[in-house]
Amino acid sequence: MSSKVLVSLRVNATPERAFAVFTRDIALWWRPNGLFQFTPRSPGVIALEPGEGGRLTEILASGKVFEIGRIRAWEPPHRLVFGWRQAAFTPDQDTQVEVRFEAIDDQTRVTVEHSGWDSVPQAHVARHGFPPTIFLTRHAEWWQSLLETYKLRVADGEGGQP
């Protein structure tokens, strides 16, 4: 069985705009999910520091900052890769999210691939007791929901051009 989630959709924007809204406006389209919280104190506000080595963080209501992961690849407007962890992960439990932006006619296909779930044991709290297939399906549904919210942000025009 594959330990990754793969979802995609098309947005009515150039890859440049799609990348900019995904990264710059992440706090405006990201919606927390009670099942896939980063910390027990979630939800907070997601923030992304641009550039390789930057951080993806969740800023909690208390002001505490939880580092979800580091930016591993920053290749505007085509590709973004970042680490992804929950507070309960051990240092050897590492998942990764790769986001690709591909021009298709006058649209951009945005693909999210979340891999590395083999490093997180089946009994880990992050898996909520789901069998592997069900866990990956639920996680894919969450990513698809996030991308639908992102698509609305791209379409609303408030984010402006990059």
Side-chain angles (χ1 to χ4, degrees):
M1 180 184 92
S2 171
S3 68
K4 69 180 178 183
V5 167
L6 183 67
V7 297
S8 67
L9 58 62
R10 289 186 185 192
V11 296
N12 291 320
T14 63
E16 290 81 8
R17 175 159 167 70
F19 187 95
V21 171
F22 193 99
T23 57
R24 183 191 62 217
D25 293 352
I26 195 166
L28 301 174
W29 60 262
W30 188 278
R31 297 295 174 253
N33 178 300
L35 195 58
F36 301 115
Q37 296 181 150
F38 297 110
T39 74
R41 294 172 300 277
S42 292
V45 176
I46 300 297
L48 190 145
E49 298 169 353
E52 200 162 317
R55 301 179 306 158
L56 176 65
T57 60
E58 181 177 34
I59 304 164
L60 304 173
S62 67
K64 181 176 173 143
V65 176
F66 173 72
E67 183 176 305
I68 299 162
R70 292 277 175 166
I71 307 300
R72 298 175 180 173
W74 180 270
E75 302 167 8
H78 305 291
R79 184 172 171 258
L80 170 68
V81 180
F82 52 88
W84 173 285
R85 61 182 297 276
Q86 293 182 352
F89 281 18
T90 62
D92 62 328
Q93 293 169 341
D94 182 47
T95 71
Q96 174 174 285
V97 176
E98 178 176 359
V99 188
R100 295 182 299 276
F101 303 86
E102 178 186 4
I104 307 286
D105 299 322
D106 60 345
Q107 296 182 318
T108 298
R109 179 171 43 221
V110 180
T111 302
V112 172
E113 184 174 328
H114 192 161
S115 61
W117 287 106
D118 285 340
S119 73
V120 181
Q122 177 60 36
H124 194 282
V125 66
R127 291 181 174 264
H128 304 283
F130 290 131
T133 303
I134 300 296
F135 170 76
L136 291 174
T137 299
R138 294 294 303 274
H139 207 71
E141 290 168 351
W142 179 51
W143 271 112
Q144 194 66 48
S145 175
L146 283 173
L147 286 181
E148 289 295 336
T149 305
Y150 158 75
K151 183 177 183 175
L152 293 174
R153 179 67 188 167
V154 171
D156 79 5
E158 288 183 27
Q161 294 300 320

